[in-house]
Amino acid sequence: MIKVNNNFSKLQKNYLFAEISQKVADFTKINPDKKIIKLGIGDVTKPLVPAVIEAMHKAVEEMADEKTFKGYGPDYGYDFLINKIIECDYKSRGIDLKKDEIFVSDGAKSDTANITDIFSIDNKIAITDPVYPVYLDSNIMSGRTGEYNEFTKKYENVTYMKVIEENSFVPELPKEGVDIIYLCFPNNPTGTTLTKDDLKKWVDYAKQNNAVILYDSAYEAYITEENVPHSIYEVEGAREVAIEFRSFSKTAGFTGMRCGYTVVPKDLKIAIGSGEKIGINEFWARRQSTKFNGVSYVTQKAAEAVYSLEGQKQIKENINYYMENARIIKQGLEKAGYTVYGGINAPYIWLKVPKGLSSWEFFDKLLEEKNIVGTPGSGFGPSGEGYFRLTAFGSRENTIEAVKRLTQEM
Ligand code: MLT
C-alpha cells in the first residue's frame, strides 16, 4: 500500500513566505484601494543590468543558430562561468579552488535544501535561531528532526544556537556534539556578521568534532566593512570542513533568473566505518548529475556577464542603491526610537517590535494600519520573537514612504 513521507506532516502548515503572501492577498481582497508597500521577502526590484541583458541577447541568438545551438550543458556548469567564479570570487581573495570543486546550480535555496541528500539521516543538525527557514524545513522533510514542540516552538533533535541581542548576534559553540552546522553570514534574517576570528572558532570546532559547516554566503556582496569575511575559505583549514553556497540572486538581481553555485572542496573528507575517509565532493557530483540537468546556457552566459568590468560596475551601483535604502530605513527607525540591527553589511534591517506586541501582532498592525509588509521575526525561529525584518530591496520611493509611515504614531 502506498505510504506518504510522513515527515511532511511535521512541518508548519505553510512555508513562511507563502504564509505572508496569503495574508497579504487576503488583506488586498478586502482592501483593494490600499497602496501596500512590500518589504517582506528579500526579492530585488531593480531590473537586470545592461551587461547581463546584452549577454543574454547574444546567447539567445546563439541558440537560434544551428552552428552555435546548445543542447544539454555540463551538469556542473560551463567552464566559462566556473573560471570566472574561481578568478573573481575566490582567487582575488587569496583562495585557490579547482574547477571540479564548483557546482553551478539554480540557486542557494535549492542547494542548501538538497545538500541534505548526501548526509546520513542520523546526523544531528545545528541551526542558528532565528534562521532562514529552508535549512530547518529541508531537514524536517528528510526526517532528520523529531516532532515540533508547541511549548518551546522548537523541533526535537535539533540544536538551536541563539543569535540575539544579548550575545551580540554571535552564536555560541554547541555544548553537545553536532554533525551538520548551518551558518549564514552576513546573516539572514538579522543582517549581522561574524569576524574572521569568530569563524575560525567554528572551523576549529568542526575539525575537533568531525562536523561539517554548511556556509551560506548569499549576501557577501553587501559587505561594506573591511574586517568581515566574504567566504569561509578565508579561514585557514575551512576547506577541510566547509561547503559554501553562493547566489547571483541578491548579488546581481537574479531572483527570477535562478543561478547560484556551491563549493565542495576536495579536501572535505568524512570518516566512514573503518576509519577510512570519503570525499563528499564525489557524492555531491553524483547527486547533481543524477537529479539536476544544469542551468540553462542563456542564464549562465548572463551570470558570466556579471563578472565583466561593465557588469561589476553596474551591479555595484544596484547594491549601493539597496544599501542606501538600508541606511534610510535604519536611520529613520532609529530616529523614531526603534532598536535596529543589520543594514550595514546586509540588505536586511532587524528591528525590535514595540513592547507588548508579538512579531505576528506587529505584522498585522503594520499591514492593517500602515499597509506595510515585513517579515515577523518569530517566523525564523523562537528567538526571533519580538523582532521584525524589513528588506532594503524596495524602490527608493517606497522605502522613503515606508519609513515615513512607520515613524508616524500608530
Ligand atoms: C528571504 O527573504 O529570506 C529570501 O529572499 C528568501 C530566499 O532567498 O529564498
Side-chain angles (χ1 to χ4, degrees), residues 115-133:
I115 199 82
T116 55
D117 277 7
I118 65 169
F119 296 109
S120 160
I121 207 74
D122 306 329
N123 286 308
K124 174 112 195 246
I125 66 157
I127 51 169
T128 54
D129 173 22
V131 76
Y132 176 43

Side-chain angles (χ1 to χ4, degrees), residues 128 132 135 182-188 192 214-219:
T128 54
Y132 176 43
Y135 315 150
Y182 287 85
L183 295 177
C184 170
F185 288 98
N187 187 252
N188 178 15
T192 55
L214 302 180
Y215 194 74
D216 185 350
S217 59
Y219 298 94

Side-chain angles (χ1 to χ4, degrees), residues 174-217:
K175 304 230 173 358
E176 67 270 33
V178 297
D179 308 301
I180 301 175
I181 301 159
Y182 287 85
L183 295 177
C184 170
F185 288 98
N187 187 252
N188 178 15
T190 65
T192 55
T193 54
L194 292 187
T195 63
K196 207 161 152 182
D197 288 344
D198 293 328
L199 264 189
K200 171 89 172 71
K201 289 186 193 138
W202 285 97
V203 169
D204 292 345
Y205 174 94
K207 278 191 176 171
Q208 280 152 17
N209 293 276
N210 293 319
V212 166
I213 298 172
L214 302 180
Y215 194 74
D216 185 350
S217 59

Side-chain angles (χ1 to χ4, degrees), residues 147-164:
E147 295 293 333
Y148 182 66
N149 180 325
E150 282 293 343
F151 182 67
T152 60
K153 309 248 182 280
K154 291 180 181 176
Y155 281 84
E156 289 158 9
N157 201 33
V158 175
T159 296
Y160 288 74
M161 307 174 295
K162 286 186 178 169
V163 177
I164 49 173

Side-chain angles (χ1 to χ4, degrees), residues 15 17 40-43 109 132 188 219 250 348 380 389:
Y15 178 58
F17 296 107
I41 190 163
D43 195 5
K109 180 179 185 177
Y132 176 43
N188 178 15
Y219 298 94
K250 316 293 154 90
Y348 294 129
F380 296 102
R389 195 193 76 175

